[in-house]
Amino acid sequence: MKQITAVIRPQRMAPVRDALLRAGVHGMTLSEVTGFGRQGGSVEEYQGVQYKVDYVSKMRIEVVVTDSIVEEAVAAIKAAAQSGAIGDGKIWVTPVEEVHRIRTGERDDDALT
Amino acid sequence: MKQITAVIRPQRMAPVRDALLRAGVHGMTLSEVTGFGRQGGSVEEYQGVQYKVDYVSKMRIEVVVTDSIVEEAVAAIKAAAQSGAIGDGKIWVTPVEEVHRIRTGERDDDALT
Amino acid sequence: MKQITAVIRPQRMAPVRDALLRAGVHGMTLSEVTGFGRQGGSVEEYQGVQYKVDYVSKMRIEVVVTDSIVEEAVAAIKAAAQSGAIGDGKIWVTPVEEVHRIRTGERDDDALT
Amino acid sequence: MEYNPVYLDIVWTLLAAFLVFLMQAGFAMLEAGATRAKNAANIIMKNVMDVSIGSLVFWLVGFGFMFGANPSGWIGTDNFMVSGADPSTEDGLVTFSFFIFQTVFAATAATIISGAVSERTKFGAYLLYTVAITGFIYPIFGSWVWGGGWLAELGFIDFAGSTVVHSVGAWAALAGAIIVGPRIGKFGRDGKPRAIPGHSITLMALGVFILWFGWFGFNAGSTVSGNTGAIATIAVTTNLAAAAGAVGAMGLSYFLWKRFDASMTLNGVIGGLVGITAGTASVGPGSAVIIGGIGGVVVVGAVIFIERILKVDDPIGAIAAHGFAGAWGTFAVGLFAQGAYGTSSDMGAVNGLLFGGGVEQLGYQAVGVIACFAFVFPTSFVIFKIIDMVMGMRASDEDQIRGLDISEHEAAGYPDFAPSVGAAFSGTTPEGGGPPTEPSTAPAGGSS
Amino acid sequence: MEYNPVYLDIVWTLLAAFLVFLMQAGFAMLEAGATRAKNAANIIMKNVMDVSIGSLVFWLVGFGFMFGANPSGWIGTDNFMVSGADPSTEDGLVTFSFFIFQTVFAATAATIISGAVSERTKFGAYLLYTVAITGFIYPIFGSWVWGGGWLAELGFIDFAGSTVVHSVGAWAALAGAIIVGPRIGKFGRDGKPRAIPGHSITLMALGVFILWFGWFGFNAGSTVSGNTGAIATIAVTTNLAAAAGAVGAMGLSYFLWKRFDASMTLNGVIGGLVGITAGTASVGPGSAVIIGGIGGVVVVGAVIFIERILKVDDPIGAIAAHGFAGAWGTFAVGLFAQGAYGTSSDMGAVNGLLFGGGVEQLGYQAVGVIACFAFVFPTSFVIFKIIDMVMGMRASDEDQIRGLDISEHEAAGYPDFAPSVGAAFSGTTPEGGGPPTEPSTAPAGGSS
Amino acid sequence: MEYNPVYLDIVWTLLAAFLVFLMQAGFAMLEAGATRAKNAANIIMKNVMDVSIGSLVFWLVGFGFMFGANPSGWIGTDNFMVSGADPSTEDGLVTFSFFIFQTVFAATAATIISGAVSERTKFGAYLLYTVAITGFIYPIFGSWVWGGGWLAELGFIDFAGSTVVHSVGAWAALAGAIIVGPRIGKFGRDGKPRAIPGHSITLMALGVFILWFGWFGFNAGSTVSGNTGAIATIAVTTNLAAAAGAVGAMGLSYFLWKRFDASMTLNGVIGGLVGITAGTASVGPGSAVIIGGIGGVVVVGAVIFIERILKVDDPIGAIAAHGFAGAWGTFAVGLFAQGAYGTSSDMGAVNGLLFGGGVEQLGYQAVGVIACFAFVFPTSFVIFKIIDMVMGMRASDEDQIRGLDISEHEAAGYPDFAPSVGAAFSGTTPEGGGPPTEPSTAPAGGSS
Ligand SMILES: Nc1ncnc2c1ncn2[C@@H]1O[C@H](COP(=O)(O)OP(=O)(O)O)[C@@H](O)[C@H]1O
Ligand SMILES: Nc1ncnc2c1ncn2[C@@H]1O[C@H](COP(=O)(O)OP(=O)(O)O)[C@@H](O)[C@H]1O
Ligand SMILES: Nc1ncnc2c1ncn2[C@@H]1O[C@H](COP(=O)(O)OP(=O)(O)O)[C@@H](O)[C@H]1O
């Protein structure tokens, strides 16, 4: 099994979730994060002093999947999250050794269905 | 060493923490996350329009442990977080190559004691 | 490629970010987390009842880097985040199998430049 | 010192005006609380600027159009910039006190709109319309009723402005909401409305309490005289109607959805208050309870009607509360008026249909209600249309998603708090196939 | 126009009533701020509905029981629905102004309870009790003191309601808090209280400032006459007592815990205000400082007493501030009253023990304080018990953990903000072994 | 009852005093909203305690210094603890009403400082200075103008305190802000200011609306008489100036930065209000618009000046709004006064330069403005310096980073909400090389 971590634009959250569900994923875990990167962040203004908010709001998706659908899931995220402008985000894949479903005690692939 | 990631119900946070400490873990990192899964989320109401909040509030635990206590730690979480109802959450284990304690510069297993 | 995860004091966030950028990292993802560990947490007071907040506010940095700069990046974080007092935090390194830049579709090391 | 009743009149009128002024804070908090955190600075700025620009414009031209000499019965023609008030005479000073009272009324009519068009209207466009309503729309209609114009002549009764203030604001808001269109994500592909909850129930409640407080000044102050005991019955009917509005709205929403809906209940308070405003000086406590209670019910019904039938997006329910409940309250004078109350408040010994009067008064009330809609809605529609054509009213989808605080004011409203994941979903359009909520759980559920 | 002093009386009484009304906003903000975010909509709804239902019920029956003809000295018997007030007579209009003033007082007594039973009481049960207190409990006790009943006859002095309003609300709250039981997680297995901090210090402070403001109307308005200079000394003593209450509470908490405790200080303001309310028209500025300062001290002590000795959970300290400080303030009249002040305010030339009077007045005050507790606490206990048996007062543990906003109103109070991790720990029961906090760090520390 | 005009005077003065009191809530919300969440409890406590301690100290000594018999023209010498007011005489009661009005004025002067020194000043040190300003600084300067002292003799006009209250507070704040130094992270190594945004735009706006509301009492109440129509023109000029201040500040910030700056606009309202305060009873509506509009412009300019030229850190812009706009408004009386207005309000038939008067009045105004700065700034500087030497004014860097809520009050202001990542960056010093923001993106951009 693999963990796919994706950092995307918040406004793409809804389509990405739908795309992942279509790709056969049955669950995922989301968090609000803050990203640094090429994307410049916004210049805000407070009482006449400009200040650069060089961090931008992003959404982080963590999804553990069985090996066979990794590729499809990554492709689904990429397609749904892409706008083409700087700041679309990153996806990375890491190995997972065990998965447990707490409720039933099911393990590994069974825990992911 | 391994990283154990668990996504659980927020109201189970206190017992899970206690169980982990008893299992020999000396630290952990928590974050509020939002989960999608089988659990339906709640139907809320705003000015007469129903809307389905199909995401639910979860707590994410990240704990890095030495190999020898992985099994015990996973079991501890499972026991303390289980309610038997849909939405209890997932636990997964991933490999860790190095660990450093920033304060002392200790490495790997030493950094975890 | 590796993922470096660091949990540090929030007030060290600015110098750590700067140190990482100098170490050749081009992006990172941050989140507010809550840590348990040796550091005691603060004792707060509410209407005369003391209560121990035994969790402390921390910042979590997630950065995916190419293998060649892992060491440098870890060292950079360590140096910038260290205060010497209990609670400085942990750094750990996990393997990454693929990385994608959503905007361009670039993969792996190319996605990290 | 010799006794002069005028001083108590001025003291009363001013204090009432101050209370009405505070309603601006009430509207600001209610509207901010009922919309999303990412638009908080924007709605705040709209509320601050409509009372500011409104005060200036009403002074410049509005007051003259509304209360200047009105030979035609259709518009006032002098006293611009309160030029007729001489500070060295008693009359002049009374005029100044009357003017400040009227200024805060004009600002109230203006601010009603900000809520209905919130979260997607450009700031500049909104300010332009504020000029139009405080300078022209509101004063012109007002002159017909309170400036001695044709509706006053006819016998139309609207003591404190269910129609003159609240419906004027609401019908203008309706025109604005139609032209600017719904917020992105408000209506799904299927045309069904999605709920977009506001970001702070405590601010909403604070706003409503402040409005309720200010409304005592709004209604009782409309005597512009402290030398009358009628202000006591006005205060009583105002309070009972507000209370009944809350009960009515909560009751209906409990009946419909089996839950105690907080935002509907708060809107019910407003509905009760708007409802009693026209007849507050003409009806008794029992009637006030009925008028207010129905006002609360009307708000719930109208929110549903506007959203599901008209398919108009009014984020805070302003059109329902100020327009529909205002129309109801104005009619209700023709039903519930009692001579004894009207006499004590100088509104005339009118009896409504239920108290032995004829249908006559009901007819006058209907004329007033219709005249208001017939004048305000089309005029505002045209003005908004022109503003839209000239400078564009609607913020881009991208700006709506980022929030107007960043796009218009380049400053977040709450930089120290982490946004919730839910905030990122709230009111975004489904870009994948199908409606956004159902399928996400169905497959997961189905495949398990 | 001929001079008629009644108009200034009405103007004053109404404006004071409006200020007292705004105290509802103050209570709502204070209570919401002092409780958790997940119950914000619920506490808001309770505050909106107690003033709404209270206004209606007090109009229907309460006013009659309190101020109707009272031949027995124990309960009023007519003037229900203010039926005795004829809007065409001056007297009738004065009655209406008196009625609105009394209505907002009744609503104040009711709303005190909502804070003490917050975060675990079902909405429907709360509303039922609101009917009981505004319709019966408060009016009946009130009739003994302000309706010309036996306590008034006796010579008991409670000018603006330290006992009549505040203690009545507080003793009812005590009964409610006992029956509904503590919030889940409030007391550990060891019986020791855990702190459950509120979610917004700014809302708490806003609430307290609004209460302080409204209290000027509460106390000075209780003359129900503007034609008396006594309102000036009342305003002065009210303000000084509030200020001294803050200093007293902050001082004691600094002495006890070496920190400037914000919520205690805010509660101290309330304690000072409640304390001065009975004697505000009978004492001088210096006495007001002492009464208020001790009031603040009493609140801190009573919060500790209620939580640690009585083991009753009162999330906002309402019982301490309104009950204990109210009792203190009522007694204090017997100590600090000065004839010169009481004379100017028509409260009689009573001198307290410290100003050359005897212990007599102190005795009357004690009788009043005891009568209040002896009537209100058991009656309320029985009523709450019945409500509990019939429909259940206490929200389930699961609902308390999710928050009443979801379980009762199906809407989150702050959907746009991410909850903190700490919020998930706040007030949950220890389910693992031992108390929840100590062991979590001890082993970590020990093994290092 | 025989007619006695005094009662309307007392009623008016008291109600105005209540409104002024509520300004404390306004300041508290504005200051809390404009600073960071981690210091919310601290700023709240400072606001609660300055009005509390201020009320007590002003009663003890301040009132005597300000309004006691003043033979020298430089300081009052009796009437401490309002000892001269006999509650059994009409005069005594009038004095009490005057006293409460003056008390809330003193508290206003005190609270201005809390914002300017916020987020890094220790609580104890702040309280000490509160004693100094309400007991000595403010009363002494006040005695020169309102206590019949030498500035009053000279002919200096400051009707409601642009200088006496607002500038006194602001110049003291300037001294405090200099001595306590800027917040950590406010100025970069390059000396350039960094923005540290406040945590809640809605609280800021609420505060400003409440202040605007309270200001009606502040200005119109300064007649301390209800038996004058001048209060009507005062209310009108107050409102128009506030409105124009918003427009002026928003206009200038739009001109400078092409955006509708929310916090500047809100500050502009304050600037307009402070500006009109001196001349509110002497100028007409048109002049009020100009004075207020320029007041708004002055605030924007002064914020920039203070931050970039003086390099003083004033988190909420209090020095700009109360000091600079106050000076402007005081001068403006010499330009815009019109005899007709001044006559009706008993401020004398003074004409300003633009209305046919000479430069004389302008000279008097200048003397007053300069005297204020020359007395208040150095005295406060010395007092703050002594406080700093004795107990230390400045919170440690670590405490500033954790927030004063934890370090001084051991309680978080908003425990249920997750802090944003941005909050961790806000106002921390660059510890790595170079300025903290630019390089972070430059290399990333450069290497791509
Ligand atoms: N090396 C990295 N490790 C972890 N997260 C990263 C990394 N680089 C970028 N990110 C995340 O991806 C987001 C988008 O990256 P950015 O460089 O701004 O745009 P793009 O991916 O389009 O080039 C960043 O805001 C950050 O959250
Ligand atoms: N494949 C997954 N990857 C990551 N997190 C998941 C995954 N599936 C479920 N989760 C997390 O686990 C939580 C519980 O899952 P759910 O399917 O609702 O119940 P259960 O685990 O009892 O079957 C979800 O809310 C989500 O946060
Ligand atoms: N085993 C662990 N797994 C994950 N995070 C940990 C672990 N141990 C500690 N942490 C994180 O590191 C932070 C600091 O650890 P702590 O033990 O308090 O101090 P130190 O690292 O200086 O010994 C904790 O607050 C927690 O967030």
Side-chain angles (χ1 to χ4, degrees), chain F residues 13-40:
Chain F
T13 304
L14 290 185
L15 287 165
F18 304 163
L19 296 199
V20 178
F21 172 80
L22 196 65
M23 290 171 68
Q24 293 288 332
F27 279 110
M29 294 303 112
L30 171 58
E31 293 176 13
T35 53
R36 284 166 294 174
K38 64 183 175 184
N39 298 315

Side-chain angles (χ1 to χ4, degrees), chain B residues 27-29 64 101 103, chain C residues 35-36 38-39 58 87-88 90:
Chain B
M28 66 194 81
T29 299
V64 180
R101 167 175 280 136
R103 171 167 48 95
Chain C
F36 277 84
R38 284 184 180 160
Q39 189 189 4
K58 297 280 173 202
D88 276 352
K90 303 270 185 286

Side-chain angles (χ1 to χ4, degrees), chain F residues 195-206:
Chain F
I196 301 181
H199 82 279
S200 173
I201 189 74
T202 45
L203 288 185
M204 285 181 69
L206 175 63

Side-chain angles (χ1 to χ4, degrees), chain E residues 92-103:
Chain E
L93 295 167
V94 170
T95 303
F96 276 114
S97 77
F98 183 71
F99 166 68
I100 184 78
F101 191 74
Q102 294 303 331
T103 300

Side-chain angles (χ1 to χ4, degrees), chain A residues 71-85:
Chain A
E71 216 162 311
E72 206 180 328
V74 169
I77 298 174
K78 251 202 282 196
Q82 195 175 35
S83 78

Side-chain angles (χ1 to χ4, degrees), chain A:
Chain A
M1 298 139 302
K2 306 289 177 201
Q3 169 176 343
I4 303 174
T5 306
V7 177
I8 64 166
R9 297 180 193 277
Q11 57 264 40
R12 291 299 172 125
M13 195 54 244
V16 167
R17 176 200 52 190
D18 295 345
L20 276 171
L21 293 168
R22 275 193 305 270
V25 161
H26 300 308
M28 67 194 82
T29 299
L30 313 181
S31 42
E32 276 277 348
V33 296
T34 297
F36 276 82
R38 284 185 181 160
Q39 190 189 1
S42 55
V43 176
E44 302 196 1
E45 173 85 21
Y46 186 74
Q47 297 211 336
V49 182
Q50 286 201 8
Y51 67 108
K52 190 134 185 304
V53 181
D54 56 358
Y55 35 83
V56 285
S57 201
K58 297 280 172 199
M59 195 77 81
R60 180 176 183 279
I61 306 171
E62 239 169 333
V63 53
V64 180
V65 295
T66 180
D67 293 339
S68 63
I69 65 163
V70 171
E71 216 162 311
E72 206 180 328
V74 169
I77 298 174
K78 251 202 282 196
Q82 195 175 35
S83 78
I86 289 185
D88 277 351
K90 302 271 185 285
I91 307 171
W92 64 92
V93 180
T94 49
V96 170
E97 299 179 354
E98 338 170 350
V99 182
H100 304 258
R101 165 175 282 137
I102 294 174
R103 171 166 51 95
T104 56
E106 285 165 300
R107 271 195 65 146
D108 298 346
D109 284 354
D110 289 346
L112 294 173
T113 51

